[in-house]
Amino acid sequence: MRDGGHFGVIRKPGTASGTTVAFRQVDAGGRLRPAAEPDAGGMPREARDALAPPALARLCEALQSIPSRELRFDLDGADSAGLALRLVKPDGEAGTFRLEWRPSGEQDEYRHRLEQRLAFERLIAALSTELIHAQDDCLDALIERALGQIGRLFDVDRAYVFRFDGARTVQSNTHEWVAPGVSPEAANLQDVPIDHFPWLLEEFRAGREVHVPVVAELGDAARTERQEFEREGIRSIVLVPFGEQGDPEGFIGFDSVHRERHWPDDILVGLRLVSQMFLNAFRAQQMRQRLGMMAFHDPLTGMGNRRFLNDRLAHAIERCRRDGGSLAVVLIDLDDFKLVNDSHGHALGDEVLRHIGARLVAAVRASDVVARLGGDEFVVVAATTGLDPLSQLVERLFAAMREPVVLPGVAYTARMSMGIALFPDDGGDAGTLLQQADTAMYAAKGEGRDRFAFFTPRMTEDSRKALRLRHDLGLAMARGEIRPHYQPRVQLPTGRVLGFEALARWHHPTDGLLMPGSFLGLARQAGLVGRIDCDMLGHALADLPRWRALDPACRVSVNLDAAYIHDDVLLRQLEEQLSAAGEAAACVELEVTECSLMRDIDRSAEALGRLRSAVPALRLAIDDFGSGYSSLAYLGRLPVTTLKIDRGFVAGLAGDNPRGARAILRSILELGAELGLHVVAEGVETQAQADTLVELGCREAQGFLYSAAVDAGQAAGMLQGSRSR
Ligand code: C2E
Ligand code: CA
Ligand code: CA
């Protein structure tokens, strides 16, 4: 419209659909300019706004009837409600159209923008005071909440903070908020090298924010970034760095995965403010932590000091009071450390203490507290769930000192005395507990050092026994003290011996014959039970030929712990042992308890299947069958050959519900028959029980009625006696 030029041109594409329309502005000389150019050449602001896509679409619709491919028009007038257009048709005839461009919806949109901006300003104001007063332990939550508020306010899908490490080599997504239904990405974005996104880094270093309304339009310089954004499904993004120009320390970012969006300048200014506020909060936190470090840390070892200990112990006690847990306070004093100082000097003594501190820290769980009280005294505070884990802890602490600390000119093997006090048993506050632990520690020293004592003496005794057994167990295995006894499996009703079950026995040098109940639990905890099972199989395979010479059909069964079938290494070892046994493997049966099989039925099925295909003749039994799992649906999925009825059911025949016990026995026997499985009744102690079982159709049994477990030689005797019967 300027200087006789036309205000604009509507081009209708050749296709008659008329749906895509390109708007071009015409300059004074009548030349076309793309609409995307910076400023629309002095076009009245209202008119410019009006020609947003919806208005344009409406215009096109109005012009639909005109069969022209190019329409030139002049602006007759523009007011707050619409445009008056004068069309210049090719035949020179002019027509006037009025185009309404701000229907009520757009007015709402305008108001919405305004409200959004005001809300943002309020949010920033509130956040700035909150961040200043934030305690260290709630800063992260506060920042994530703020991200959520901003994210929701601007209707984005993901809002987050990235921070660079001190050396400015990697960046990590430290805080994240995602809209419902949007997948979080933080876990995938830890320790990413910062030069991985060169274009972003360059922009940040230049102190510029990165505003990408349409990710797909990112140029080649930002190819890596575009690919990453697209991988995350981002269509539009804005990233605002924080830190000094030239040395960014991180950035905040907002992703839109559902739509493209343009962030107005005034909002970007607000985001910059937010990012700077976050940075200030991070720096303040760091400063506080450094100061706290000085107050709470032992400068020599870098471990917590007495103040730290009191603080953490009080916290831990509070937590236990609330959640009902228990705590052990272990006070450790090195025996004879004075000698190191006296003979090698303090500098070396300090070095030794540093090493010992580090070993103690390594010996406990990350959630436990270790502190140095001063001198050669240390304290460990651990959450405990019972005597067993506690004696494991004690053993780990002793084990940590087993190797000498080797330094130039000296190799020092630290011995230590430990005193243990328990919360809530021995005291209800930090001071009392430390006092009691100290008393116990002196008791340990009095007993001859290099040992530990509980404040409550009985516990010292029990725990020491458990500790000793655990220690002995390792030696016992090496010395071959754990060997099987064999309990016969007999045919019903004849009582003829068909084979034996190997049951582990510990031939303890001082305590005599120990039953599995007293050491298998320990072995399990120490991770030794797999080796015990392997050993038992080895013994059984060694004893088998002697029995088979008497009865070629004689079988032996060996118990397998659950740990076995879920451990590939052990399983392979077992396969090898059995394969090496050759045709004798057909006389071996492995027993696995029902409940351990059920722990992970799929893996159990797979592991047993593998065993069976490696050693096809192998027999597999479900031990203690019926003890708790009512669903029998899984039975068909396990490649087993035998069911061993839990001895509880046989015992039940003489209990207060004999009819119930009978019914269960009958159904297990029927089920076994249906599935073609051997069924063995365990724990048969009386002739009456045996008679009932025979009546129900049971063909095989095991129990004290026939014999308890005996050694291999006696087993051979029984087999022979039974043959000649
Ligand atoms: P289990 O596999 O059910 O073994 C049968 C247990 O019942 C044995 O106890 C046996 O002595 C006992 N028993 C036999 N007949 C009777 C009876 O008539 N009445 C009663 N009340 N009990 C009878 P033991 O030898 O103390 O073994 C206990 C458990 O320890 C075994 O139960 C088995 O689960 C486990 N176990 C034993 N040896 C090994 C082994 O080498 N490896 C593994 N992983 N576990 C083993
Ligand atoms: Ca068994
Ligand atoms: Ca059993």
Side-chain angles (χ1 to χ4, degrees):
M1 198 169 65
R2 305 167 193 261
D3 305 333
H6 294 294
F7 170 70
V9 172
I10 303 282
R11 288 174 166 280
K12 288 174 70 177
T15 59
S17 79
T19 46
T20 45
V21 175
F23 172 69
R24 296 282 185 278
Q25 193 211 337
V26 183
D27 67 11
R31 284 181 297 267
L32 299 181
R33 288 209 269 144
E37 245 183 14
D39 196 356
M43 188 191 294
R45 196 190 155 93
E46 317 86 279
R48 217 162 67 215
D49 289 349
L51 290 165
L56 205 54
R58 252 172 273 128
L59 176 61
C60 296
E61 217 174 307
L63 300 176
Q64 198 59 247
S65 55
I66 302 170
S68 164
R69 294 187 54 204
E70 185 171 301
L71 304 166
R72 289 164 181 276
F73 58 88
D74 287 331
L75 192 65
D76 250 4
D79 54 38
S80 63
L83 287 179
L85 296 180
R86 189 152 31 90
L87 280 173
V88 186
K89 291 196 196 170
D91 57 12
E93 191 191 323
T96 307
F97 288 80
R98 183 169 170 80
L99 178 67
E100 301 286 340
W101 75 72
R102 191 169 284 165
S104 58
E106 281 184 26
Q107 230 149 14
D108 285 352
E109 166 74 18
Y110 179 74
R111 195 175 321 121
H112 173 69
R113 283 253 174 83
L114 201 65
E115 280 167 1
Q116 208 174 37
R117 191 184 152 168
L118 288 174
F120 191 34
E121 278 165 11
R122 275 196 302 273
L123 195 155
I124 291 176
L127 189 61
S128 73
T129 48
E130 280 177 321
L131 282 173
I132 287 170
H133 296 113
Q135 301 287 318
D136 284 349
D137 52 355
C138 45
L139 181 62
D140 291 337
L142 179 61
I143 286 180
E144 270 167 12
R145 200 193 70 201
L147 289 173
Q149 286 170 330
I150 300 172
R152 275 188 293 269
L153 182 60
F154 295 109
D155 191 25
V156 298
D157 299 301
R158 208 181 281 128
Y160 45 84
V161 175
F162 269 76
R163 294 182 66 188
F164 299 167
D165 67 335
R168 311 282 191 267
T169 52
V170 294
Q171 55 189 355
S172 296
N173 189 173
T174 54
H175 303 77
E176 182 181 38
W177 167 87
V178 291
V182 175
S183 60
E185 287 286 341
N188 306 328
L189 298 169
Q190 297 300 311
D191 296 329
V192 183
I194 59 172
D195 52 13
H196 194 76
F197 300 112
W199 176 72
L200 278 187
L201 188 59
E202 203 175 302
E203 294 296 300
F204 293 159
R205 284 202 172 125
R208 285 194 288 267
E209 66 247 357
V210 170
H211 176 201
V212 187
V214 184
V215 162
E217 289 177 1
L218 267 176
D220 268 357
R223 196 173 44 229
T224 316
E225 286 81 359
R226 190 182 62 227
Q227 283 164 355
E228 172 63 14
F229 296 156
E230 284 170 349
R231 183 191 71 74
E232 293 176 46
I234 302 170
R235 295 182 49 191
S236 173
I237 192 170
V238 62
L239 301 170
V240 182
F242 50 77
E244 309 303 327
Q245 190 164 350
D247 182 26
E249 294 180 38
F251 56 91
I252 59 174
F254 302 87
D255 299 347
S256 300
V257 301
H258 290 116
R259 62 194 176 106
E260 287 154 5
R261 68 169 306 144
H262 178 92
W263 293 74
D265 288 344
D266 49 352
I267 301 298
L268 289 177
V269 171
L271 290 179
R272 235 181 214 280
L273 211 57
V274 169
S275 77
Q276 208 57 35
M277 278 160 35
F278 283 176
L279 174 65
N280 291 342
F282 291 142
R283 283 188 178 157
Q285 183 187 39
Q286 230 165 35
M287 180 60 75
R288 278 193 300 272
Q289 280 169 352
R290 237 173 254 152
L291 287 174
M293 184 81 185
M294 280 154 72
F296 281 105
H297 283 73
D298 167 38
L300 176 66
T301 57
M303 302 166 77
N305 60 12
R306 189 183 283 273
R307 259 186 76 185
F308 169 82
L309 174 70
N310 284 328
D311 184 75
R312 299 296 296 271
L313 183 53
H315 261 100
I317 289 173
E318 220 166 89
R319 211 177 28 245
C320 284
R321 278 230 172 81
R322 201 183 54 223
D323 308 339
S326 54
L327 289 176
V329 178
V330 185
L331 196 138
I332 302 167
D333 188 282
L334 301 182
D335 301 327
D336 308 322
F337 179 72
K338 206 166 135 357
L339 285 179
V340 180
N341 268 342
D342 291 352
S343 48
H344 299 281
H346 283 271
L348 204 117
D350 288 352
E351 194 57 30
V352 169
L353 286 175
R354 266 195 284 274
H355 276 83
I356 288 176
R359 285 192 190 177
L360 292 176
V361 169
V364 304
R365 286 170 305 194
S367 55
D368 296 340
V369 175
V370 189
R372 175 169 172 250
L373 289 189
D376 56 357
E377 274 193 345
F378 298 85
V379 170
V380 172
V381 177
T384 59
T385 46
L387 204 55
D388 258 344
L390 188 54
S391 63
Q392 281 174 48
L393 170 71
V394 170
E395 197 192 13
R396 275 202 313 275
L397 292 172
F398 277 123
M401 297 303 142
R402 216 158 276 153
E403 295 291 313
V405 175
V406 181
L407 294 171
V410 62
Y412 168 70
T413 305
R415 309 222 175 278
M416 54 192 189
S417 299
M418 288 190 247
I420 305 171
L422 302 177
F423 171 86
D425 313 52
D426 298 333
D429 62 273
T432 312
L433 286 168
L434 280 169
Q435 182 63 53
Q436 319 287 55
D438 196 55
T439 308
M441 189 272 290
Y442 275 102
K445 283 229 192 265
E447 282 176 37
R449 312 182 154 210
D450 194 16
R451 61 191 63 213
F452 70 97
F454 278 101
F455 180 69
T456 312
R458 193 186 53 76
M459 299 201 67
T460 305
E461 220 166 275
D462 293 353
S463 179
R464 187 160 293 151
K465 205 163 151 202
L467 204 59
R468 203 200 68 206
L469 268 186
R470 192 202 308 281
H471 177 73
D472 288 358
L473 192 60
L475 294 176
M477 293 193 56
R479 295 197 199 110
E481 287 172 12
I482 298 179
R483 297 190 296 274
H485 272 185
Y486 297 101
Q487 182 177 40
R489 275 166 66 162
V490 305
Q491 189 179 53
L492 287 181
T494 60
R496 194 172 78 92
V497 176
L498 299 173
F500 302 97
E501 174 176 4
L503 294 162
R505 300 288 180 263
W506 181 353
H507 303 259
H508 196 280
T510 55
D511 297 0
L513 193 69
L514 299 181
M515 304 301 271
S518 63
F519 62 88
L520 275 186
L522 284 178
R524 212 162 273 135
Q525 279 168 19
L528 292 172
V529 73
R531 269 179 57 199
I532 292 184
D533 289 353
C534 254
D535 282 5
M536 292 312 109
L537 178 63
H539 282 291
L541 286 171
D543 289 327
L544 189 58
R546 179 173 169 197
W547 303 326
R548 289 187 72 206
L550 296 166
D551 174 3
C554 181
R555 297 196 302 260
V556 69
S557 51
V558 173
N559 292 283
L560 265 202
D561 193 79
Y564 236 126
I565 57 171
H566 298 310
D567 182 327
D568 288 339
V569 177
L570 288 175
L571 215 55
R572 203 159 310 128
Q573 198 174 333
L574 199 67
E575 281 171 22
E576 276 166 25
Q577 249 177 312
L578 288 166
S579 305
E583 52 101 31
C587 297
V588 176
E589 183 165 282
L590 297 179
E591 300 186 3
V592 190
T593 59
E594 184 186 25
C595 53
S596 65
L597 282 175
M598 288 305 296
R599 227 162 277 157
D600 186 343
I601 179 86
D602 292 323
R603 279 186 71 187
S604 300
E606 197 221 282
L608 295 184
R610 254 183 50 195
L611 263 178
R612 280 294 292 273
S613 46
V615 192
L618 184 69
R619 304 163 67 97
L620 291 169
I622 301 186
D623 204 353
D624 301 346
F625 183 76
S627 56
Y629 291 90
S630 48
S631 160
L632 301 174
Y634 63 88
L635 253 188
R637 297 178 50 197
L638 296 170
V640 294
T641 51
T642 310
L643 297 181
K644 296 191 80 177
I645 305 179
D646 188 67
R647 64 174 176 271
F649 298 117
V650 176
L653 286 176
D656 46 14
N657 184 10
R659 288 187 47 200
R662 241 181 110 97
I664 294 174
L665 285 170
R666 187 201 306 276
S667 56
I668 296 178
L669 285 159
E670 280 172 8
L671 178 79
E674 221 162 273
L675 295 172
L677 300 174
H678 264 285
V679 182
V680 185
E682 284 192 308
V684 181
E685 296 181 349
T686 66
Q687 191 56 50
Q689 288 169 337
D691 293 344
T692 307
L693 286 164
V694 170
E695 191 192 311
L696 293 173
C698 183
R699 310 285 306 279
E700 203 172 326
Q702 196 179 327
F704 293 161
L705 175 64
Y706 309 102
S707 168
V710 296
D711 66 34
Q714 289 170 297
M718 288 174 64
L719 190 60
Q720 194 157 31
S722 146
R723 292 286 295 164
S724 53
R725 207 184 282 164

